[in-house]
């Protein structure tokens, strides 16, 4: 299939492009390089021997985006492009709504005009809010989101669902990611945090590589195995493989499916920290702090639907996630 990948030079997008190319698909990337670098194209080529086509286009620029549709006959779209920092979305909500909603609507309108009917959208476990009990099941529906970023994910899910109810020939898979971490085994692509990382593993990676002094653990008084928050971490390469299955599913079915992508098991902050210590061969200092406002105690996926519909099951364990994260972080430092 010829597939348009928006946000394809980003963290999850770049890993997905590798898996798509390796599965025999043709990839065309659209990215404005707001949160990624053009060098990623070299890295993708180094890994799979094929350089994806690339357009430096902002999805808010509808005319520019339309040129991409004019020049290519796409069968499907995987839509990653968007802003993703929760705290920032609280500070500048309009910027988030503009990019993540108006940008997406431009894309969906062009898909309609050029009759590109198959879509995979990057949603998030954040759409469950704190309304439900674990494991989170797709059938729970949408919870109460607690920040504008989460609301943009929820609104996109609603928009796509309505769009496909109006046009029964359309097909979409809304993937609710749990916590993607790790990097490609080659150490060539991975997550490059912008400023001080908010998320756990990028922060631990910077402590392990000497860029920060210690990890601040946000609370150890939750009702969990050791009192620290529990999340469903999934290797980004597993997540990327899930996209290949999802786009192939979309191309052979009609309607809209919501599917969780996680491992189905949770790890606490301290369990992740200890796995990372094993991966980097050194102790990682930490301090227990107060809870982070808005955090929930435990979050993990019910993965039955992904298994049944997509025949997808994550294979990489937490040790491998940490090893691959550390390898990429060390390479990144060498390059600087
Ligand atoms: P990322 O920032 O690494 O990748 C997003 C890419 O989109 C970047 O390359 C950026 O330059 C590009 N982009 C942003 N706005 C754009 C615009 N207007 N036009 C063109 N390109 C634009 O993020 P990621 O971690 O790879 O996440 C990809 C998607 O998955 C995002 O939609 C994100 O919200 C979603 N998601 C991520 C996580 C996570 O933990 N990383 C979890 C759940 C959902
Ligand atoms: C974050 C996002 C969420 C997104 C998800 C997946 C927030 C508030 N939520 O959630 O919208 O869908 O990532 O990418 O950012 N922790 C520490 N110290 C740190 C960082 C984190 O102890 O420096 C703890 C947290 O309290 C939590 C766990 O580590 O218990 C994971 O945190 P994080 O990586 O930020 O992910 P989420 O909270 O799941």
């Amino acid at each position: 299939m010829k597939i348009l990948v928006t946000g394809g030079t980003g963290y999850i997008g770049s890993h997905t492009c590798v898996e798509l190319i390796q599965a025999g698909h043709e990839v065309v990337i659209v990215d404005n390089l707001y949160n990624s670098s053009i060098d990623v194209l070299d890295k993708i080529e180094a890994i799979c021997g094929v350089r994806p086509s690339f357009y430096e286009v902002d999805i808010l620029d509808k005319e520019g985006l339309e040129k991409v549709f004019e020049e290519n006959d796409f069968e499907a779209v995987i839509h990653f492009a968007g802003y993703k920092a929760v705290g920032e979305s609280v500070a500048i909500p309009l910027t988030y709504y503009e990019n993540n909603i108006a940008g997406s609507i431009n894309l969906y309108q062009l898909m309609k005009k050029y009759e590109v009917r198959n879509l995979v959208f990057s949603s998030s476990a954040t759409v469950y809010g704190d309304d439900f009990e674990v494991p989170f099941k797709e059938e729970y529906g949408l919870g109460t989101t607690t920040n504008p970023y989460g609301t943009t994910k929820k609104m996109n899910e609603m928009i796509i669902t309505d769009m496909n109810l109006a046009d029964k020939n359309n097909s979409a898979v809304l993937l609710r990611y749990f916590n993607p971490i790790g990097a490609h085994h080659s150490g060539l692509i991975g997550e490059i945090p912008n400023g001080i990382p908010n998320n756990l593993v990028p922060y631990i990676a910077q402590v392990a590589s000497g860029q920060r002094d210690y990890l601040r653990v946000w609370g150890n008084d939750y009702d969990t195995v050791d009192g620290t928050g529990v999340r469903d971490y999934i290797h980004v390469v597993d997540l990327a493989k899930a996209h290949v299955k999802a786009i192939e599913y979309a191309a052979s079915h009609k309607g809209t499916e919501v599917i969780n992508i996680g491992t189905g098991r949770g790890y606490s902050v301290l369990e992740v920290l200890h796995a990372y210590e094993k991966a980097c061969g050194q102790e990682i200092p930490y301090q227990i702090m107060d809870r982070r406002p808005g955090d929930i105690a435990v979050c993990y996926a019910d993965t039955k639907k992904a298994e049944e519909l997509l025949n997808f099951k994550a294979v990489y364990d937490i040790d491998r996630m940490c090893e691959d994260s550390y390898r990429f972080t060390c390479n990144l430092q060498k390059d600087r």
Side-chain angles (χ1 to χ4, degrees):
M1 267 191 281
K2 186 166 187 176
I3 304 170
L4 169 63
V5 181
T6 73
T9 43
Y11 173 46
I12 304 170
S14 57
H15 289 82
T16 300
C17 288
V18 165
E19 297 303 322
L20 288 169
I21 292 169
Q22 288 177 341
H25 296 292
E26 189 183 344
V27 167
V28 176
I29 296 176
V30 161
D31 201 300
N32 65 355
L33 302 178
Y34 168 82
N35 196 34
S36 56
S37 145
I38 191 81
D39 303 346
V40 167
L41 298 175
D42 298 336
K43 309 286 165 79
I44 294 174
E45 188 176 4
I47 295 169
C48 35
V50 176
R51 192 176 184 83
S53 306
F54 176 73
Y55 291 85
E56 186 175 341
V57 167
D58 192 316
I59 60 168
L60 287 171
D61 167 14
K62 198 171 176 188
E63 276 178 27
L65 191 57
E66 179 148 16
K67 285 210 186 83
V68 183
F69 278 81
E70 275 166 9
E71 288 175 16
N72 296 276
D73 191 9
F74 296 120
E75 206 172 317
V77 174
I78 305 184
H79 180 31
F80 293 106
Y83 296 153
K84 62 166 181 177
V86 172
E88 188 181 64
S89 80
V90 176
I92 47 168
L94 287 179
T95 306
Y96 269 68
Y97 286 116
E98 182 182 35
N99 201 44
N100 293 8
I101 303 295
S104 297
I105 289 176
N106 282 343
L107 175 70
Y108 305 150
Q109 283 173 333
L110 288 168
M111 287 179 69
K112 184 172 164 59
K113 181 166 174 186
Y114 289 84
E115 295 185 351
V116 184
R117 299 194 169 279
N118 307 309
L119 172 67
V120 169
F121 174 69
S122 299
S123 191
S124 165
T126 195
V127 302
Y128 289 111
D130 54 8
D131 300 354
F132 307 114
E133 289 195 356
V134 286
F136 291 149
K137 300 184 204 309
E138 295 86 347
E139 69 210 37
Y140 288 162
L142 295 163
T144 312
T145 46
T146 53
N147 56 74
Y149 164 72
T151 308
T152 69
K153 291 295 168 195
K154 185 167 151 175
M155 288 167 81
N156 262 283
E157 287 203 11
M158 294 164 77
I159 291 166
I160 295 165
T161 304
D162 286 344
M163 197 168 87
N164 290 1
L165 281 173
D167 190 338
K168 300 274 189 272
N169 287 316
N170 284 350
S171 173
V173 177
L174 314 178
L175 294 180
R176 292 185 180 160
Y177 312 157
F178 281 67
N179 291 59
I181 61 168
H184 193 265
H185 185 66
S186 62
L188 292 174
I189 52 174
E191 183 171 20
I192 305 174
N194 203 351
I196 303 171
N198 277 312
N199 295 121
L200 179 66
V201 171
Y203 201 102
I204 292 182
Q206 293 198 352
V207 178
S209 58
Q211 300 168 69
R212 306 203 179 270
D213 294 337
Y214 61 92
L215 174 73
R216 288 168 298 171
V217 175
W218 304 127
N220 69 346
D221 56 353
Y222 289 107
D223 184 14
T224 63
V225 54
D226 54 22
T228 65
V230 167
R231 296 291 183 273
D232 184 341
Y233 298 93
I234 176 164
H235 197 297
V236 66
V237 171
D238 272 330
L239 178 59
K241 289 178 198 288
H243 286 78
V244 178
K245 298 208 168 195
I247 202 68
E248 289 170 351
Y249 180 91
S252 54
H253 294 78
K254 295 192 194 319
T256 308
E257 292 290 350
V258 172
I259 304 180
N260 288 336
I261 303 292
T263 64
R265 94 151 268 191
Y267 285 93
S268 74
V269 174
L270 293 180
E271 285 172 332
V272 175
L273 179 114
H274 295 316
Y276 216 101
E277 287 180 328
K278 233 187 335 169
C280 68
Q282 53 178 309
E283 212 172 288
I284 297 175
Y286 67 90
Q287 275 186 28
I288 305 292
M289 315 294 283
D290 287 343
R291 290 180 179 196
R292 182 171 69 177
D295 268 355
I296 56 176
V298 182
C299 170
Y300 59 91
D302 185 309
T303 58
K304 273 192 218 77
K305 193 169 175 187
E307 278 171 46
E308 283 168 13
L309 256 51
L310 302 183
N311 190 25
F312 170 77
K313 210 170 164 32
V315 298
Y316 296 119
D317 64 12
I318 193 74
D319 291 337
R320 175 67 184 270
M321 298 180 214
C322 294
E323 285 158 20
D324 288 342
S325 160
Y326 187 59
R327 182 181 309 105
F328 176 72
T329 306
C330 294
N331 285 350
L332 202 60
Q333 270 203 305
K334 271 187 249 152
D335 287 349
R336 283 190 172 151

